[in-house]
Amino acid sequence: MIFYELYLRSFYDSNEDGLGDLKGLKEKLDYLVELGVDHVWLLPIMKSPAFHGYTVSNFYEVNPVYGNLNDVKEVLSEGHKKGIKFVLDLPINHVAVTSDWFQKALKGEEPYKDWFVWANEKADLNEKRHWDDSKIWQKIGNKYFYGIFGPASPDLYFERKELWQEIKNIFKFWLDAGFDGFRLDAAKHIFDFDTETMRFKYQHEKNVEFWKEMISFIKSIKNEALVISEVWDAPEIVRKYEGIFDIGFNFPIAEDLKTTLKDENTQRFVETLNKCIPEYLPTGKVFSASGNFLTNHDMTRILSDLKSEEKVKLGFSIIYTLPGIPFIYYGEEIGMKGIPIDVNFTEDSQEPFHWYENGFGLGQTEWKGYKFNPPYSGNSYEEQAKDRNSILNIVKNLIKFRKNNSWIDNAKIDILNFDQNVVKLKVYDQLNEIIAYYNLKSSNSSFFLENGTRLLSIGENIIDGKNLKLAPYGVYVVKHK
């Protein structure tokens, strides 16, 4: 499986209003096929007042700037014909302030008034969330509601079981529309509040109970549906949710890999593998597949972070040669840049996809100015397609390699050796085995090459008889048997 995280507003515009839309995606399905993508993770497309779509005002209605439900069904149908499956991002932890549910709750209407958490005398109105200084209690009129993600996002109160049924109705609606599964936003936040003490508190056991019931329902509608979780936390917390979801995003490996590449530290790379994907080591057991990625819509784009195209290529090479499921965020394949202010202001990592080198043309979205990706910066599809060594063409080669070796998804790894420059890794299952060499340094590294058939070579690597001169940040993969 090869996943592509796609932000519709920034992708391709079919009606010249400057905004990407569903018909635009339909026109560019062949681009995804050309890239090698077979699964698309579509960021929220439901009606929302927010540019990012994560505050939903109506879960059963398509955002009109993107099109309508018929457009959804058409693009999914066409994508399916081309071998592409689609996973919808569903942020059900909270709604928009403009949501009909919340507006009725403000008026005291049943059952909606009980679907949210309201402050009482126990509440500390100055309580702040643990990852920054943002308050968790949000004022509206003369009331305060619990909104862990800010004043635009009233949290739903999932102690109310009738709300569980409403969420099931939402899942069924989008499965019936043709989606092949869901990405579940903020999965650990369904139960993150203690109404006894009126304070923030993760309740992972309750979260697990909720998600087991929801996933059982999803699978009863479409047995082959894929369910992907977002649990952004330390490995010990992520493991509390293993086995519930088909795929769990591996945030620890994303963060550790980027630090490893910046520091060019082979020791840290080995420690990262041991810490972040132990389920794929010889004695490990896989309960949920590891969703491996470098960046997403909440993060600094990879080229802005690493500041080196060669390190970016190395990073993608690692992702596409490790077991688990590889994900790529739209625009990373053409070297787009972007640095969000923080998780509350992510526009700068969601700039329009660059189809043209001058930044403008048919289908080009223009909803946001080019802050990080100005015209003639070399990070357009038009320009990248011409250069065989561009990030785009390297990513294409990596995806082709991975699709030709799809057994890697469920493989095991052995760390065979490492020195100050190179890590040597064995990736294998019962029938297949490859040896991957990763050079984490800016200098060449030479060594004796074991017998085998070359499967992948990234960088200006040189073979001289039995010796391999691995290029700076180069990767070499051989089939061992």
Side-chain angles (χ1 to χ4, degrees):
M1 287 186 282
I2 308 294
F3 270 90
Y4 188 84
E5 179 186 359
L6 194 149
Y7 178 46
L8 198 58
R9 183 179 294 252
S10 285
F11 197 58
Y12 197 79
D13 172 21
S14 72
N15 60 1
E16 300 182 19
D17 65 354
L19 303 174
D21 47 47
L22 289 158
K23 289 182 178 178
L25 172 56
K26 183 180 174 183
E27 290 185 38
K28 283 298 180 180
L29 287 172
D30 285 341
Y31 167 73
L32 300 177
V33 173
E34 172 197 333
L35 189 60
V37 168
D38 51 32
H39 285 74
V40 168
W41 157 23
L42 198 58
L43 296 189
I45 61 169
M46 294 73 70
K47 189 175 181 181
S48 169
F51 79 91
H52 48 67
Y54 280 93
T55 52
V56 178
S57 55
N58 189 323
F59 285 102
Y60 301 100
E61 187 175 341
V62 177
N63 192 328
V65 301
Y66 293 148
N68 56 42
L69 189 59
N70 283 334
D71 296 327
V72 171
K73 292 177 178 179
E74 283 186 16
V75 72
L76 298 186
S77 177
E78 286 301 308
H80 289 157
K81 292 175 186 176
K82 295 176 183 292
I84 300 174
K85 293 185 176 182
F86 297 84
V87 168
L88 176 63
D89 199 322
L90 259 183
I92 62 166
N93 171 72
H94 50 262
V95 297
V97 168
T98 57
S99 162
D100 193 44
W101 295 357
F102 188 67
Q103 290 299 311
K104 287 180 177 179
L106 287 172
K107 297 173 184 176
E109 294 185 29
E110 298 280 0
Y112 307 103
K113 69 182 181 65
D114 296 324
W115 287 9
F116 302 90
V117 179
W118 308 97
N120 60 24
E121 65 280 357
K122 291 183 181 179
D124 175 6
L125 298 180
N126 293 312
E127 183 182 353
K128 296 177 180 178
R129 59 192 189 189
H130 64 87
W131 63 85
D132 64 14
D133 290 329
S134 298
K135 291 183 178 183
I136 68 172
W137 291 105
Q138 318 298 339
K139 188 175 183 181
I140 186 163
N142 60 354
K143 297 181 178 181
Y144 285 86
F145 65 85
Y146 177 65
I148 193 67
F149 292 108
S153 310
D155 277 48
L156 290 168
Y157 184 45
F158 284 95
E159 295 288 356
R160 303 297 180 186
K161 280 299 183 79
E162 70 269 21
L163 186 53
W164 292 34
Q165 183 57 51
E166 189 65 40
I167 298 303
K168 289 178 182 178
N169 295 341
I170 293 167
F171 284 131
K172 184 177 187 305
F173 178 85
W174 292 107
L175 288 172
D176 289 347
F179 277 97
D180 303 288
F182 302 101
R183 181 264 190 185
L184 303 171
D185 182 62
K188 68 176 181 176
H189 285 279
I190 299 300
F191 291 93
D192 64 6
F193 186 79
D194 185 347
T195 52
E196 290 298 317
T197 62
M198 294 297 287
R199 295 189 66 84
F200 175 89
K201 181 184 178 182
Y202 285 123
Q203 299 177 74
H204 298 295
E205 294 77 14
K206 286 187 175 182
N207 288 333
V208 167
E209 177 190 357
F210 173 83
W211 285 122
K212 281 183 176 179
E213 183 165 330
M214 292 300 139
I215 291 167
S216 176
F217 175 79
I218 290 168
K219 300 283 187 178
S220 74
I221 301 296
K222 186 176 287 189
N223 184 57
E224 68 278 12
L226 276 171
V227 184
I228 307 169
S229 70
E230 183 210 31
V231 179
W232 193 340
D233 215 315
E236 60 269 21
I237 300 300
V238 173
R239 290 184 188 117
K240 290 179 182 290
Y241 296 83
E242 284 186 347
I244 303 169
F245 308 99
D246 298 305
I247 303 171
F249 283 119
N250 198 327
F251 283 90
I253 201 171
E255 298 296 350
D256 277 19
L257 267 183
K258 286 179 282 192
T259 301
T260 293
L261 293 167
K262 290 175 192 174
D263 296 344
E264 303 183 6
N265 189 323
T266 56
Q267 173 72 42
R268 176 149 188 158
F269 182 36
V270 170
E271 291 172 355
T272 293
L273 295 177
N274 281 302
K275 180 181 80 172
C276 300
I277 54 171
E279 64 269 39
Y280 295 102
L281 294 170
T283 58
K285 187 173 182 180
V286 178
F287 295 101
S288 295
S290 175
N292 300 331
F293 67 102
L294 293 174
T295 61
N296 67 19
H297 57 282
D298 286 325
M299 297 175 167
T300 295
R301 283 192 175 274
I302 191 63
L303 187 54
S304 292
D305 202 357
L306 299 183
K307 300 177 175 61
S308 161
E309 289 195 7
E310 301 312 309
K311 286 188 177 183
V312 168
K313 295 172 186 176
L314 173 57
F316 283 129
S317 299
I318 293 170
I319 291 295
Y320 284 99
T321 52
L322 285 180
I325 307 299
F327 285 73
I328 187 169
Y329 179 41
Y330 88 94
E332 300 289 49
E333 77 273 24
I334 56 173
M336 285 179 61
K337 298 177 182 179
I339 305 174
I341 297 172
D342 59 34
V343 294
N344 298 313
F345 301 96
T346 59
E347 297 98 312
D348 289 343
S349 65
Q350 295 173 274
E351 289 194 358
F353 186 96
H354 268 217
W355 294 104
Y356 309 101
E357 186 60 10
N358 72 359
F360 302 92
L362 288 175
Q364 182 64 56
T365 63
E366 297 184 39
W367 72 274
K368 180 186 182 300
Y370 295 126
K371 183 175 178 181
F372 287 94
N373 302 282
Y376 307 112
S377 55
N379 58 358
S380 67
Y381 170 76
E382 183 178 52
E383 194 68 16
Q384 291 265 315
K386 300 175 185 176
D387 180 3
R388 71 178 184 88
N389 291 316
S390 67
I391 294 175
L392 174 63
N393 283 314
I394 294 299
V395 168
K396 282 185 182 180
N397 289 338
L398 288 167
I399 291 176
K400 182 179 180 180
F401 160 81
R402 184 56 173 256
K403 292 183 80 170
N404 289 337
N405 295 277
S406 58
W407 59 270
I408 294 176
D409 289 4
N410 303 304
K412 292 290 186 181
I413 58 172
D414 266 342
I415 301 157
L416 298 180
N417 191 27
F418 70 96
D419 56 26
Q420 291 185 343
N421 295 338
V422 175
V423 175
K424 181 181 177 183
L425 193 70
K426 180 172 77 170
V427 184
Y428 64 97
D429 67 6
Q430 291 183 333
L431 300 175
N432 305 278
E433 181 179 305
I434 61 173
I435 306 295
Y437 302 85
Y438 309 101
N439 184 2
L440 270 66
K441 297 292 185 179
S442 59
S443 55
N444 292 312
S445 186
S446 299
F447 49 86
F448 179 77
L449 182 64
E450 295 185 31
N451 290 328
T453 303
R454 185 184 78 175
L455 295 182
L456 183 68
S457 180
I458 304 296
E460 299 299 322
N461 304 314
I462 299 173
I463 302 293
D464 183 11
K466 291 289 185 180
N467 293 311
L468 168 64
K469 181 184 285 188
L470 200 57
Y473 311 122
V475 176
Y476 199 82
V477 177
V478 296
K479 185 177 181 180
H480 206 219
K481 70 175 181 179

PDB file of all heavy atoms in Angstrom, residues 393-405:
ATOM      1  N   ASN A 393      11.328  12.424  -9.203  1.00  0.00           N
ATOM      2  CA  ASN A 393      11.682  11.179  -9.885  1.00  0.00           C
ATOM      3  C   ASN A 393      12.314  10.163  -8.945  1.00  0.00           C
ATOM      4  O   ASN A 393      12.162   8.948  -9.150  1.00  0.00           O
ATOM      5  CB  ASN A 393      12.587  11.480 -11.080  1.00  0.00           C
ATOM      6  CG  ASN A 393      11.790  12.021 -12.257  1.00  0.00           C
ATOM      7  OD1 ASN A 393      10.738  11.489 -12.604  1.00  0.00           O
ATOM      8  ND2 ASN A 393      12.266  13.095 -12.870  1.00  0.00           N
ATOM      9  N   ILE A 394      12.982  10.624  -7.903  1.00  0.00           N
ATOM     10  CA  ILE A 394      13.485   9.696  -6.891  1.00  0.00           C
ATOM     11  C   ILE A 394      12.317   9.054  -6.151  1.00  0.00           C
ATOM     12  O   ILE A 394      12.297   7.838  -5.915  1.00  0.00           O
ATOM     13  CB  ILE A 394      14.429  10.417  -5.903  1.00  0.00           C
ATOM     14  CG1 ILE A 394      15.700  10.894  -6.615  1.00  0.00           C
ATOM     15  CG2 ILE A 394      14.761   9.511  -4.727  1.00  0.00           C
ATOM     16  CD1 ILE A 394      16.535   9.796  -7.235  1.00  0.00           C
ATOM     17  N   VAL A 395      11.323   9.867  -5.778  1.00  0.00           N
ATOM     18  CA  VAL A 395      10.140   9.321  -5.096  1.00  0.00           C
ATOM     19  C   VAL A 395       9.417   8.321  -5.989  1.00  0.00           C
ATOM     20  O   VAL A 395       8.976   7.259  -5.533  1.00  0.00           O
ATOM     21  CB  VAL A 395       9.198  10.456  -4.641  1.00  0.00           C
ATOM     22  CG1 VAL A 395       7.841   9.901  -4.215  1.00  0.00           C
ATOM     23  CG2 VAL A 395       9.819  11.243  -3.495  1.00  0.00           C
ATOM     24  N   LYS A 396       9.287   8.643  -7.279  1.00  0.00           N
ATOM     25  CA  LYS A 396       8.664   7.696  -8.210  1.00  0.00           C
ATOM     26  C   LYS A 396       9.407   6.366  -8.215  1.00  0.00           C
ATOM     27  O   LYS A 396       8.803   5.282  -8.201  1.00  0.00           O
ATOM     28  CB  LYS A 396       8.638   8.273  -9.623  1.00  0.00           C
ATOM     29  CG  LYS A 396       7.556   9.291  -9.888  1.00  0.00           C
ATOM     30  CD  LYS A 396       7.593   9.674 -11.360  1.00  0.00           C
ATOM     31  CE  LYS A 396       6.569  10.718 -11.689  1.00  0.00           C
ATOM     32  NZ  LYS A 396       6.626  11.086 -13.133  1.00  0.00           N
ATOM     33  N   ASN A 397      10.732   6.432  -8.261  1.00  0.00           N
ATOM     34  CA  ASN A 397      11.540   5.208  -8.270  1.00  0.00           C
ATOM     35  C   ASN A 397      11.365   4.421  -6.972  1.00  0.00           C
ATOM     36  O   ASN A 397      11.301   3.186  -6.981  1.00  0.00           O
ATOM     37  CB  ASN A 397      13.014   5.548  -8.475  1.00  0.00           C
ATOM     38  CG  ASN A 397      13.314   6.015  -9.883  1.00  0.00           C
ATOM     39  OD1 ASN A 397      12.559   5.722 -10.814  1.00  0.00           O
ATOM     40  ND2 ASN A 397      14.405   6.744 -10.067  1.00  0.00           N
ATOM     41  N   LEU A 398      11.288   5.138  -5.858  1.00  0.00           N
ATOM     42  CA  LEU A 398      11.116   4.476  -4.572  1.00  0.00           C
ATOM     43  C   LEU A 398       9.754   3.802  -4.484  1.00  0.00           C
ATOM     44  O   LEU A 398       9.631   2.679  -3.971  1.00  0.00           O
ATOM     45  CB  LEU A 398      11.276   5.492  -3.437  1.00  0.00           C
ATOM     46  CG  LEU A 398      12.698   5.986  -3.185  1.00  0.00           C
ATOM     47  CD1 LEU A 398      12.689   7.205  -2.265  1.00  0.00           C
ATOM     48  CD2 LEU A 398      13.557   4.867  -2.578  1.00  0.00           C
ATOM     49  N   ILE A 399       8.722   4.482  -4.984  1.00  0.00           N
ATOM     50  CA  ILE A 399       7.380   3.892  -4.963  1.00  0.00           C
ATOM     51  C   ILE A 399       7.326   2.664  -5.875  1.00  0.00           C
ATOM     52  O   ILE A 399       6.736   1.636  -5.516  1.00  0.00           O
ATOM     53  CB  ILE A 399       6.326   4.941  -5.366  1.00  0.00           C
ATOM     54  CG1 ILE A 399       6.197   6.002  -4.269  1.00  0.00           C
ATOM     55  CG2 ILE A 399       4.974   4.281  -5.630  1.00  0.00           C
ATOM     56  CD1 ILE A 399       5.259   7.139  -4.610  1.00  0.00           C
ATOM     57  N   LYS A 400       7.951   2.765  -7.032  1.00  0.00           N
ATOM     58  CA  LYS A 400       8.000   1.616  -7.945  1.00  0.00           C
ATOM     59  C   LYS A 400       8.705   0.440  -7.276  1.00  0.00           C
ATOM     60  O   LYS A 400       8.242  -0.715  -7.354  1.00  0.00           O
ATOM     61  CB  LYS A 400       8.714   2.007  -9.242  1.00  0.00           C
ATOM     62  CG  LYS A 400       8.766   0.889 -10.274  1.00  0.00           C
ATOM     63  CD  LYS A 400       9.458   1.355 -11.552  1.00  0.00           C
ATOM     64  CE  LYS A 400       9.507   0.233 -12.577  1.00  0.00           C
ATOM     65  NZ  LYS A 400      10.185   0.676 -13.836  1.00  0.00           N
ATOM     66  N   PHE A 401       9.839   0.726  -6.621  1.00  0.00           N
ATOM     67  CA  PHE A 401      10.558  -0.317  -5.894  1.00  0.00           C
ATOM     68  C   PHE A 401       9.651  -0.960  -4.855  1.00  0.00           C
ATOM     69  O   PHE A 401       9.573  -2.191  -4.740  1.00  0.00           O
ATOM     70  CB  PHE A 401      11.796   0.277  -5.219  1.00  0.00           C
ATOM     71  CG  PHE A 401      12.339  -0.556  -4.093  1.00  0.00           C
ATOM     72  CD1 PHE A 401      13.143  -1.653  -4.357  1.00  0.00           C
ATOM     73  CD2 PHE A 401      12.020  -0.252  -2.768  1.00  0.00           C
ATOM     74  CE1 PHE A 401      13.626  -2.443  -3.311  1.00  0.00           C
ATOM     75  CE2 PHE A 401      12.498  -1.022  -1.724  1.00  0.00           C
ATOM     76  CZ  PHE A 401      13.304  -2.118  -1.998  1.00  0.00           C
ATOM     77  N   ARG A 402       8.949  -0.128  -4.076  1.00  0.00           N
ATOM     78  CA  ARG A 402       8.121  -0.663  -3.001  1.00  0.00           C
ATOM     79  C   ARG A 402       6.957  -1.484  -3.542  1.00  0.00           C
ATOM     80  O   ARG A 402       6.607  -2.546  -2.986  1.00  0.00           O
ATOM     81  CB  ARG A 402       7.616   0.492  -2.122  1.00  0.00           C
ATOM     82  CG  ARG A 402       6.807   0.052  -0.913  1.00  0.00           C
ATOM     83  CD  ARG A 402       7.596  -0.934  -0.022  1.00  0.00           C
ATOM     84  NE  ARG A 402       6.882  -1.228   1.198  1.00  0.00           N
ATOM     85  CZ  ARG A 402       7.197  -0.726   2.391  1.00  0.00           C
ATOM     86  NH1 ARG A 402       8.249   0.090   2.506  1.00  0.00           N
ATOM     87  NH2 ARG A 402       6.502  -1.042   3.460  1.00  0.00           N
ATOM     88  N   LYS A 403       6.334  -1.028  -4.626  1.00  0.00           N
ATOM     89  CA  LYS A 403       5.220  -1.780  -5.197  1.00  0.00           C
ATOM     90  C   LYS A 403       5.691  -3.115  -5.779  1.00  0.00           C
ATOM     91  O   LYS A 403       4.956  -4.103  -5.751  1.00  0.00           O
ATOM     92  CB  LYS A 403       4.511  -0.946  -6.270  1.00  0.00           C
ATOM     93  CG  LYS A 403       3.788   0.258  -5.687  1.00  0.00           C
ATOM     94  CD  LYS A 403       3.036   1.042  -6.738  1.00  0.00           C
ATOM     95  CE  LYS A 403       1.716   0.404  -7.066  1.00  0.00           C
ATOM     96  NZ  LYS A 403       0.880   1.281  -7.918  1.00  0.00           N
ATOM     97  N   ASN A 404       6.921  -3.152  -6.290  1.00  0.00           N
ATOM     98  CA  ASN A 404       7.494  -4.402  -6.787  1.00  0.00           C
ATOM     99  C   ASN A 404       7.911  -5.334  -5.658  1.00  0.00           C
ATOM    100  O   ASN A 404       8.200  -6.520  -5.894  1.00  0.00           O
ATOM    101  CB  ASN A 404       8.695  -4.128  -7.691  1.00  0.00           C
ATOM    102  CG  ASN A 404       8.302  -3.527  -9.024  1.00  0.00           C
ATOM    103  OD1 ASN A 404       7.157  -3.681  -9.473  1.00  0.00           O
ATOM    104  ND2 ASN A 404       9.227  -2.829  -9.657  1.00  0.00           N
ATOM    105  N   ASN A 405       7.962  -4.783  -4.446  1.00  0.00           N
ATOM    106  CA  ASN A 405       8.373  -5.566  -3.282  1.00  0.00           C
ATOM    107  C   ASN A 405       7.381  -5.325  -2.142  1.00  0.00           C
ATOM    108  O   ASN A 405       7.761  -4.976  -1.021  1.00  0.00           O
ATOM    109  CB  ASN A 405       9.790  -5.175  -2.844  1.00  0.00           C
ATOM    110  CG  ASN A 405      10.836  -5.519  -3.878  1.00  0.00           C
ATOM    111  OD1 ASN A 405      11.319  -6.645  -3.956  1.00  0.00           O
ATOM    112  ND2 ASN A 405      11.176  -4.547  -4.717  1.00  0.00           N
TER     113      ASN A 405
END
